Amino acid sequence: MQRTDFGTMACSIARTLDVIGEPWSPLILRDVYAGINRFDRIQEDLGISRKVLTERLKWLVEREVLERREYATNRYEYALTERGTELVDVLMVMVRWGDRWVSPDGPPVLYRHHACGQVSHVELTCPHCGGPMTAKDIDLLAGPGSS
């Protein structure tokens, strides 16, 4: 089966899904962010086949989401790039939704904010006024890349 090329669509959601839209990629990013950054450890944590993990890691490195670093002779680990770190922000919004809607026993992981030391969750806010930026608070307008 041929994979649909979402990367050519004039839609930022589609283009993002082109990079991380299959189920293993966000979980790989989660692991690398959490410090599980070596192939065998990622494979063990996720229970993913070596073949699929190899393909996913190669894809994420090619898309400059992860970088492969040698830590010993012919031994490699993976690190988030700037792009990858920003994708973790996307995952944090998914965490908030998952904690609210599909975690009946409460959040499986808590997040402490570096600046204030408080355990919290991600809030989307406007960088100009600080007000909320949820689907109910915004309008969609055509952007310069919409054509």
Side-chain angles (χ1 to χ4, degrees):
M1 178 184 296
Q2 187 169 350
R3 186 175 186 271
T4 301
D5 184 3
F6 291 105
T8 60
M9 293 182 182
C11 172
S12 293
I13 295 171
R15 291 174 181 166
T16 302
L17 286 173
D18 188 59
V19 176
I20 62 159
E22 61 75 48
W24 289 116
S25 292
L27 298 176
I28 292 167
L29 292 178
R30 176 206 64 191
D31 274 10
V32 172
Y33 173 72
I36 302 170
N37 57 4
R38 295 184 181 164
F39 186 96
D40 290 340
R41 290 191 60 219
I42 296 169
Q43 193 221 358
E44 179 182 334
D45 186 61
L46 296 178
I48 185 174
S49 77
R50 295 181 69 79
K51 179 181 184 288
V52 171
L53 181 56
T54 299
E55 291 170 358
R56 290 291 87 215
L57 288 169
K58 182 177 185 248
W59 177 265
L60 292 168
V61 168
E62 288 172 353
R63 300 303 174 282
E64 299 177 10
V65 172
L66 294 177
E67 63 182 5
R68 188 174 180 236
R69 295 181 182 163
E70 189 172 29
Y71 67 89
T73 304
N74 293 322
R75 303 290 293 174
Y76 297 90
E77 63 187 10
Y78 295 88
L80 293 167
T81 63
E82 183 178 358
R83 286 181 181 198
T85 301
E86 284 196 22
L87 275 172
V88 171
D89 294 342
V90 173
L91 299 181
M92 294 301 297
V93 174
M94 291 174 67
V95 164
R96 174 158 183 196
W97 186 91
D99 286 351
R100 178 172 178 174
W101 295 105
V102 293
S103 297
D105 298 328
V109 175
L110 299 176
Y111 299 87
R112 184 176 38 238
H113 187 227
H114 290 168
C116 69
Q118 296 297 308
V119 172
S120 192
H121 57 268
V122 172
E123 292 284 341
L124 296 175
T125 58
C126 175
H128 301 286
C129 72
M133 279 195 72
T134 67
K136 295 182 268 183
D137 303 307
I138 60 173
D139 295 318
L140 302 178
L141 308 172
S146 65
S147 54

